[in-house]
Amino acid sequence: DAGITQSPRHKVTETGTPVTLRCHQTENHRYMYWYRQDPGHGLRLIHYSYGVKDTDKGEVSDGYSVSRSKTEDFLLTLESATSSQTSVYFCAISSGGGGYTFGSGTRLTVV
Amino acid sequence: GENVEQHPSTLSVQEGDSAVIKCTYSDSASNYFPWYKQELGKGPQLIIDIRSNVGEKKDQRIAVTLNKTAKHFSLHITETQPEDSAVYFCAASSGWNYGGATNKLIFGTGTLLAVQP
């Protein structure tokens, strides 16, 4: 989607390895979010950020950490990947006025 | 915290018919209710939203209604077309206000809409 990119688009990793997913925006929006999407669960919030170095936990934050050192980048790290973290991960941005703009997603498989 | 339930999980309609998807929310403080459409292999895209001071909103063939007393809101699609086939998500937020609250969205579990030609 215009203004927001996620990388990588696909990744296969082994159990126990660290993984970092990147979200980059060119909209200068204050708010950024990481969600995971799983069948039967919809989209669940992992972490979010309301400014540089200001982050907070969402509903499914265990096993994940985030960092935001610049307005445009929001990183999601799986410190030690587990099979339960196999999912599609979406980043979203918001100016605070309501709607989100989502990225195209990262499909992560932990084997 | 907020909990959003969405029904049905799958919906099949004939082209030209109407489709209705319903959501309920638990937090009476919720004040912002968007709907997203997700096509295969893509991220969700905002199609319409409604705020708690409004009971209904329309945009061409789609409309959303909100009943704050019953804590439910619905998406209505009229004259459905094959390109309406997608997964639809409702969401609710109790953190929205002008001026930059975090606006965390809690999503429903999604409805797979199939429009048969």
Side-chain angles (χ1 to χ4, degrees), chain A residues 1 9 30-31 33 35 37 40-45 48 50 57 59 90 94-105, chain B residues 2 32 34 36 38 41-46 49 51 87 89 96-110:
Chain A
D1 290 67
R9 289 298 311 276
R30 178 179 175 185
Y31 303 102
Y33 310 83
Y35 283 84
Q37 183 174 24
H41 291 278
L43 293 150
R44 293 181 291 175
L45 181 63
Y48 62 100
Y50 39 96
K57 296 179 180 180
E59 51 187 323
F90 285 100
S94 170
S95 62
Y100 290 2
T101 299
F102 281 88
S104 299
Chain B
E2 174 67 278
Y32 175 65
Y36 287 81
Q38 185 179 28
K42 297 184 178 181
Q45 193 165 24
L46 179 68
D49 57 13
R51 306 195 191 278
V87 177
F89 290 99
W96 174 84
N97 61 61
Y98 286 113
T102 61
N103 190 27
K104 291 181 294 179
L105 286 177
I106 303 301
F107 285 83
T109 51

Side-chain angles (χ1 to χ4, degrees), chain A residues 16-106:
Chain A
T17 60
V19 177
T20 296
L21 309 182
R22 180 180 185 237
C23 179
H24 177 78
Q25 61 145 330
T26 58
E27 304 296 322
N28 201 36
H29 284 341
R30 178 179 175 185
Y31 303 102
M32 299 185 76
Y33 310 83
W34 277 108
Y35 283 84
R36 60 178 288 175
Q37 183 174 24
D38 305 287
H41 291 278
L43 293 150
R44 293 181 291 175
L45 181 63
I46 305 171
H47 280 280
Y48 62 100
S49 170
Y50 39 96
V52 173
K53 298 188 177 176
D54 285 327
T55 65
D56 207 345
K57 296 179 180 180
E59 51 187 323
V60 290
S61 60
D62 287 349
Y64 301 95
S65 62
V66 290
S67 66
R68 191 166 178 202
S69 59
K70 298 184 290 185
T71 298
E72 57 267 35
D73 289 323
F74 192 32
L75 305 179
L76 176 70
T77 297
L78 290 65
E79 302 291 346
S80 178
T82 68
S83 58
S84 65
Q85 294 176 312
T86 291
S87 186
V88 180
Y89 292 85
F90 285 100
C91 176
I93 60 175
S94 170
S95 62
Y100 290 2
T101 299
F102 281 88
S104 299
T106 294

Side-chain angles (χ1 to χ4, degrees), chain B residues 16 40 47 49 75 109:
Chain B
L40 196 61
I47 55 171
D49 57 13
L75 177 71
T109 51

Side-chain angles (χ1 to χ4, degrees), chain B:
Chain B
E2 174 67 278
N3 182 53
V4 178
E5 294 190 358
Q6 182 172 348
H7 299 280
S9 57
T10 60
L11 179 60
S12 181
V13 300
Q14 290 296 124
E15 182 176 358
D17 288 349
S18 295
V20 180
I21 302 170
K22 299 181 179 181
C23 289
T24 60
Y25 61 97
S26 61
D27 188 348
S28 57
S30 288
N31 52 16
Y32 175 65
F33 309 92
W35 286 88
Y36 287 81
K37 176 183 180 182
Q38 185 179 28
E39 297 176 339
L40 196 61
K42 297 184 178 181
Q45 193 165 24
L46 179 68
I47 55 171
I48 194 168
D49 57 13
I50 192 168
R51 306 195 191 278
S52 58
N53 58 344
V54 175
E56 183 176 1
K57 183 176 179 181
K58 288 184 179 180
D59 183 3
Q60 299 183 338
R61 294 186 298 107
I62 60 174
V64 57
T65 58
L66 171 65
N67 183 327
K68 288 188 294 183
T69 302
K71 289 192 280 189
H72 67 69
F73 55 113
S74 300
L75 177 71
H76 304 254
I77 306 174
T78 59
E79 301 173 19
T80 53
Q81 301 167 4
E83 52 265 38
D84 293 329
S85 296
V87 177
Y88 291 81
F89 290 99
C90 63
S93 170
S94 58
W96 174 84
N97 61 61
Y98 286 113
T102 61
N103 190 27
K104 291 181 294 179
L105 286 177
I106 303 301
F107 285 83
T109 51
T111 296
L112 175 61
L113 173 64
V115 180
Q116 309 298 332

